[in-house]
Amino acid sequence: MYANPKHLHDREIKVRVDEDTFDLIQALAKFHRTQRAVLCRELLEAQLAALSAEDTSEHNVA
């Protein structure tokens, strides 16, 4: 199905959020016309990339 099997999203992490956060995720997913899980995964991946870049830039400063 996937050209690269590493792109398969088959690892699961459960996250519990409060009602306000859930409502915000729901509204954003509806606005962007995507599923909640897809939106959350993309937000998580973007934040992880930003943190990784931040860590890398801190190590390069000497």
Side-chain angles (χ1 to χ4, degrees):
M1 182 173 177
Y2 286 93
N4 184 345
K6 289 186 177 185
H7 292 164
L8 180 64
H9 301 130
D10 64 345
R11 303 289 189 233
E12 182 178 316
I13 298 175
K14 265 190 183 173
V15 177
R16 296 191 182 273
V17 296
D18 62 20
E19 187 174 351
D20 290 339
T21 302
F22 182 85
D23 291 343
L24 179 57
I25 292 168
Q26 180 74 20
L28 286 170
K30 187 174 183 179
F31 178 79
H32 290 282
R33 296 182 179 176
T34 189
Q35 297 175 358
R36 289 187 310 260
V38 172
L39 175 70
C40 289
R41 184 180 66 240
E42 289 173 351
L43 291 171
L44 175 64
E45 289 174 349
Q47 185 62 33
L48 289 171
L51 288 172
S52 179
E54 184 179 296
D55 287 345
T56 302
S57 66
E58 286 179 7
H59 288 110
N60 290 339
V61 176

